[in-house]
Amino acid sequence: MILDDLLADGAPPIAAILRGVKPEEALDIAAALVEAGIRVIEVPFNSPEPLVSIAAMQQAFGDRALIGGGTVLTVEAVEALAGAGGRIMVTPNTVPDVIARGAELGLELLPGFMTPSEAFRAVEAGARRVKLFPAAQLGPAYVKAVKDVLPKHVGVWAVGGTGADTIGDWLAGGCEGIGVGGALYRPGDDALTVRERAVDLVAAWQRAKG
């Protein structure tokens, strides 16, 4: 499963960031997200036992959702992610060796950038999508300016301060999608709470796209 196919099938361009999720709750939280329509799920590597959660979610939902890891900082972490069955690799920064290794292993890549120079380094290393982080501090107008110089095939996602109240602004500014963390899940949230937030977020996307 690749992100292009999910988006072509009408899945919302939303990545759920489950920072701090524990393995014993991962399946319930993932189920709530998938039921609400969100089909891209990221477990950051600074969560408790992230590879355990990723492997379990991949086994349970890998035929319906793109499961992977975030805050991937090293080549070793990339290899561990692939070994756990993860399919998408998200980073907060631009490290060409990390991006290139993810590409070699066939992972979907979403490396983080802040400056145009970082975005171009990510593309040169093999990324077809990049993640503006932290996004809220820069705004949709910044995305538009960066997209003016990036290759046309490169998709830009916004992460950091994003949610149901801003998804329309980011899409209007030229983003392909957004990643949402605390507005969807915070450590200790139960599956029902996450599902309600996810339903609201997907509804906001539907309104934004008309």
Side-chain angles (χ1 to χ4, degrees):
M1 179 177 296
I2 63 173
L3 188 49
D4 286 342
D5 291 342
L6 281 180
L7 298 179
D9 286 344
I14 298 167
I17 304 167
L18 304 183
R19 191 176 308 279
V21 72
K22 298 177 181 178
E24 57 266 29
E25 62 184 347
L27 290 182
D28 287 343
I29 298 296
L33 292 167
V34 172
E35 288 167 7
I38 292 178
R39 297 173 64 189
V40 183
I41 303 173
E42 164 201 339
V43 179
F45 264 52
N46 55 358
S47 303
E49 299 183 275
L51 295 173
V52 176
S53 295
I54 291 167
M57 291 193 298
Q58 175 63 27
Q59 183 174 6
F61 302 105
D63 61 336
R64 287 170 283 169
L66 192 65
I67 310 294
T71 318
V72 178
L73 302 177
T74 66
V75 169
E76 291 77 16
V78 178
E79 293 169 348
L81 172 62
R87 296 295 308 129
I88 185 169
M89 181 193 89
V90 187
T91 76
N93 55 359
T94 307
V95 182
D97 288 348
V98 170
I99 298 167
R101 185 58 177 146
E104 289 172 359
L105 293 173
L107 299 178
E108 292 283 306
L109 307 174
L110 196 57
F113 81 97
M114 179 175 272
T115 68
S117 294
E118 291 172 340
F120 275 103
R121 281 203 298 273
V123 172
E124 290 165 2
R128 293 191 302 113
R129 292 179 169 91
V130 290
K131 176 189 87 172
L132 177 63
F133 176 80
Q137 287 74 9
L138 297 169
Y142 186 84
V143 173
K144 183 179 185 304
V146 172
K147 281 180 63 67
D148 283 345
V149 297
L150 283 176
K152 296 301 182 186
H153 73 277
V154 176
V156 177
W157 289 53
V159 177
T162 53
D165 56 340
T166 60
I167 186 170
D169 296 333
W170 289 111
L171 296 179
C175 282
E176 181 181 40
I178 65 170
V180 183
L184 264 180
Y185 170 82
R186 301 180 187 91
D189 288 342
D190 60 28
L192 179 59
T193 298
V194 173
R195 188 181 188 283
E196 290 173 348
R197 291 174 182 158
V199 167
D200 289 344
L201 181 55
V202 171
W205 165 68
Q206 290 171 333
R207 290 192 299 271
K209 73 184 180 70

